[in-house]
Amino acid sequence: MLNDQLKAQLQAYLQKLVYPITLTGTISNEPSSAEVRSLLETIGGLSEKVSVRFDGQDARSPSFTVARDGTDMSLRFAAVPLGHEFTSLVLALLWAGGHPPKVEADVIESIQALDGDYSFEVYMSLSCHNCPDVVQALSLMSILNSKVKTVVIDGGLYQDEVAARKIMAVPMVFLNGELFGSGRMTVEEIVAKLDTKSDEKDKAKIDAKEAFDVLVVGGGPAGAAAAVYAARKGIRTGLAAERFGGQTNDTLGIENYISVLETDGPKFAADLERHVKHYDVDIMNLQRAEKIVAPSQVGGLVEVHMANGGVLKSRSVILSTGARWRNVNVPGEQEYKNRGVAYCPHCDGPLFKGKAVAVIGGGNSGIEAAIDLAGVVSHVTVVEFADQLKADAVLVAKARSLPNVTIITNAQTTEINGDGNQVTGLTYKDRVSGQVHQLALQGVFVQIGLVPNTEWLKGTVELSKYGEIVVDSHGATNVPGVFAAGDCTTTPYKQIVIAAGEGAKAALGAFDYLIRSSVPAQDTVTTVAVAA
C-alpha cells in the first residue's frame, strides 16, 4: 500500500516517538478492511514503539484508533487515510507518541483547559485540500485532552452515512451529534468557538498592545508581503488577519507564481506565514476588523477597531483584506449551501460521484471546475450568462471534448431548486428567447468571480463602484497614512503574484510616508537674487 520511499520516510518519522502507541483496528471482510489491515501492519513493522491489534468492536468497520499506551486518548480514523490525509495520520502517530506539535504554547494550554464532553465527528474526502487542517486540529485536541473524542470519517467510504446526514460538502464537523461547522477551520478557530471567554481574552491582549509603525490588516499574499517589507525596515510591524493565507487556502494548484514551479494553496499559505514569522512581526490571527478611524479624528494615529471590541493603533495602516467568492444571489442559494450548493469542486466533487451537477460561470475557474468534475460525476452542465465563454481557449477546447460536459451560454440562472433538504435542480432563462428551462441536478458549483472584503470601510476610504479600495501608484488611499494592496483594491488583474507585488509596494509607500511625516517642518528660506 505504501511504496518504498514512503515507508522509508515514515520509518524515519517514527524514530521520533517517545512513548509506545497502539493501533487498534476494527475490520471485516470487505476490500477496504483489507486496505486498513495492510496499512496498519505496514506501520507496525516500521517501529518497535508501534503495536497493532485487530480486536476493535466499533460500529464503523473498517476503522482504527490511535492511542498512547496507558492513556484514554480517543482518536479514530474511519478511513484509509492516504492522499491528502496521509500527513494527518503521520502527525497523529507522532503526537500520540509524545512528539511535540508545532503549535503555540497558549493554544496547547487552551486545549488542555477545555472542560466538558466533546465528541467530534469530522467528515472529509481524501481529495479535499481543506480537510487536513480540520482533521489535524481535532486529532491534536483529542490527543492533548481526554475529554475530546474525535472520529475522522471518509465520506466516500461511508456514503450511506453521508446520505443519511445530508452531507454534501466537506470538511463538515459534528459536535455531540449536532452540526458544529463546515469548511476549513484551524485549531485556533475551533478552540475559540468552544471557549466562551476567548473574545474577552483577545480584547485584553489587543488593547494592551503599543502603537505600531505599520499595521497590516489581512494575511493573504498582499498582507504577508507588506509585513515582510515593513519589518525589514526595522520598524514596529503588526499583522491582524481573520485567516492567515486568505483565499489561497481555498486554491488547489498554483503554477504561475514566478520561481515556484508548482505548489498548492494550503502549502503556499503556510509558506507565507513561515516567511512572515521569520521577521519581527506581531501576528494576530483570527482577528476581524470592523472599523477604521482616520488619524485626523484621533490625534495622529490610525485606529482599527476589531470585532471583539479591541482597538489597535498605528502610525500607518495597510489594508489587504482580499476578496471572497461571489454569490449568484438567487433563491435557493443560501438555503441549500452545503446541501448541494458548493464553491470548491476539488473539496466537494467526490461527494457527487455518479451524480449530475451544474457549474455556474464560464471563466477559467468555471471551466476548470467542469473539467475536474467531469472525471467524478455523471454529467456536468456549464451555465454561462454571457453569449460566449470567457475562459482560455485551451480550457474551452478541453471542456468541449469531454462527452459528459454540456455548455449553455446566454443563460441567466434564476433559481436553485430543492426539496427542502437538498438541491434537486436549477432554473435558468434563455436571454435570447426568454424561455425558461429547468435542469434536474444534485449539485451546483458556483464559480462567478470575486467580491472585495471592504463593506466595513464604507464612509472611511474611497471605494469604487465595485467596492474596491481606490489606490494611487504608491498604494495610498485618500486617507493620509492608510494604504491598501491586493484583491481588495482597484489594481487590475487579481493574481497572487500581483497581490504580493502590490503588498510590497504599499509597504514601501507607507515607509516613505512615515519618513516624511516624521521630519520636522523647516523654516522657509528665501533666496534673493542680487543684480551684479
Side-chain angles (χ1 to χ4, degrees):
M1 176 161 286
L2 301 180
N3 60 37
D4 290 341
Q5 183 179 1
L6 277 179
K7 287 180 183 177
Q9 291 174 344
L10 182 55
Q11 187 171 34
Y13 281 124
L14 293 178
Q15 290 177 3
K16 300 179 181 181
L17 297 179
V18 179
Y19 306 108
I21 62 175
T22 297
L23 310 180
T24 304
T26 298
I27 60 174
S28 50
N29 296 320
E30 66 270 9
S32 53
S33 282
E35 292 179 358
V36 168
R37 176 183 282 276
S38 174
L39 177 62
L40 299 190
E41 289 177 341
T42 298
I43 295 172
L46 297 176
S47 173
E48 294 180 354
K49 283 190 167 67
V50 180
S51 300
V52 178
R53 46 194 286 189
F54 295 98
D55 56 355
Q57 300 296 318
D58 192 72
R60 292 186 179 94
S61 176
S63 66
F64 64 94
T65 59
V66 178
R68 182 184 306 166
D69 291 0
T71 71
D72 52 358
M73 289 179 183
S74 184
L75 171 61
R76 177 177 296 276
F77 286 87
V80 186
L82 299 175
H84 282 295
E85 293 301 342
F86 183 67
T87 299
S88 300
L89 172 60
V90 174
L91 289 173
L93 298 173
L94 292 175
W95 294 334
H99 186 69
K102 293 181 179 180
V103 179
E104 298 294 337
D106 60 339
V107 176
I108 293 177
E109 291 174 6
S110 296
I111 293 172
Q112 293 173 333
L114 290 173
D115 190 19
D117 293 317
Y118 304 100
S119 181
F120 285 102
E121 297 165 295
V122 52
Y123 290 84
M124 55 79 175
S125 71
L126 298 180
S127 62
C128 169
H129 61 283
N130 283 326
C131 293
D133 284 323
V134 182
V135 170
Q136 291 164 24
L138 293 174
S139 297
L140 178 61
M141 291 172 64
S142 65
I143 288 169
L144 292 178
N145 188 331
S146 61
K147 295 179 180 178
V148 179
K149 301 175 177 61
T150 297
V151 183
V152 180
I153 306 160
D154 178 3
L157 193 59
Y158 289 91
Q159 292 187 349
D160 290 344
E161 200 169 320
V162 164
R165 278 185 144 166
K166 298 180 174 59
I167 296 168
M168 306 191 76
V170 289
M172 186 165 287
V173 180
F174 291 82
L175 172 59
N176 298 333
E178 300 294 328
L179 181 63
F180 177 78
S182 62
R184 183 179 182 272
M185 292 180 282
T186 64
V187 64
E188 292 88 352
E189 289 174 295
I190 295 172
V191 172
K193 198 169 180 179
L194 296 174
D195 185 355
T196 57
K197 296 183 178 180
S198 61
D199 275 355
E200 296 176 18
K201 298 174 185 175
D202 285 346
K203 179 183 183 303
K205 290 179 182 179
I206 284 176
D207 285 340
K209 293 183 182 293
E210 296 180 6
F212 295 98
D213 291 312
V214 173
L215 173 63
V216 180
V217 181
V228 167
Y229 266 72
R232 284 172 61 87
K233 294 296 184 182
I235 57 180
R236 181 167 161 74
T237 304
L239 186 151
E242 188 169 0
R243 182 175 67 148
F244 207 105
Q247 200 183 14
T248 61
N249 287 294
D250 304 320
T251 304
L252 185 59
I254 299 174
E255 301 176 349
N256 56 358
Y257 193 85
I258 307 307
S259 84
V260 180
L261 187 62
E262 182 180 0
T263 185
D264 60 65
K267 183 180 184 301
F268 186 83
D271 288 341
L272 288 179
E273 188 169 8
R274 190 177 302 111
H275 197 167
V276 174
K277 285 182 174 179
H278 181 72
Y279 295 94
D280 187 16
V281 178
D282 187 346
I283 298 176
M284 297 156 279
N285 205 7
L286 306 182
Q287 299 298 327
R288 179 165 56 87
E290 286 194 336
K291 180 183 178 182
I292 187 169
V293 181
S296 59
Q297 298 176 260
V298 287
L301 295 175
V302 185
E303 286 188 357
V304 179
H305 294 235
M306 313 309 289
N308 56 28
V311 178
L312 294 170
K313 298 179 181 180
S314 183
R315 294 173 61 204
S316 66
V317 167
I318 299 174
L319 304 170
S320 57
T321 50
R324 62 187 183 276
W325 290 115
R326 186 181 299 277
N327 291 324
V328 189
N329 292 322
V330 298
E333 180 178 20
Q334 293 303 316
E335 180 181 355
Y336 294 107
K337 192 172 183 179
N338 294 328
R339 292 193 291 165
V341 175
Y343 299 83
C344 179
H346 307 293
C347 300
D348 301 329
L351 298 177
F352 294 85
K353 184 178 181 179
K355 298 179 180 179
V357 303
V359 173
I360 300 177
N364 281 346
S365 60
I367 299 305
E368 287 174 352
I371 294 169
D372 184 36
L373 289 166
V376 178
V377 304
S378 64
H379 193 272
V380 183
T381 302
V382 177
V383 181
E384 166 58 36
F385 181 84
D387 59 0
Q388 59 184 352
L389 300 178
K390 295 166 286 188
D392 295 341
V394 64
L395 295 176
V396 173
K398 174 63 176 177
R400 292 191 185 280
S401 73
L402 299 173
N404 62 335
V405 174
T406 300
I407 297 172
I408 304 173
T409 56
N410 273 317
Q412 179 183 357
T413 301
T414 57
E415 185 176 359
I416 296 173
N417 314 116
D419 60 6
N421 293 313
Q422 60 192 36
V423 167
T424 59
L426 178 148
T427 301
Y428 73 92
K429 182 175 73 173
D430 187 312
R431 296 177 56 238
V432 176
S433 68
Q435 188 174 354
V436 175
H437 301 270
Q438 285 193 327
L439 300 172
L441 305 162
Q442 287 78 52
V444 176
F445 289 81
V446 180
Q447 302 281 291
I448 57 172
L450 304 170
V451 57
N453 297 316
T454 58
E455 291 87 350
W456 63 287
L457 295 168
K458 289 180 180 178
T460 306
V461 299
E462 182 184 358
L463 303 177
S464 72
K465 65 179 180 179
Y466 302 109
E468 299 168 320
I469 303 170
V470 178
V471 293
D472 67 10
S473 59
H474 291 69
T477 71
N478 65 314
V479 178
V482 178
F483 296 76
D487 288 0
C488 63
T489 72
T490 50
T491 299
Y493 310 120
K494 313 305 184 187
Q495 298 290 307
I496 295 173
V497 68
I498 292 175
E502 291 296 308
K505 183 170 70 176
L508 294 175
F511 183 68
D512 184 66
Y513 164 82
L514 292 174
I515 292 175
R516 296 176 186 278
S517 61
S518 63
V519 175
Q522 300 295 316
D523 293 334
T524 302
V525 178
T526 304
T527 301
V528 180
V530 179

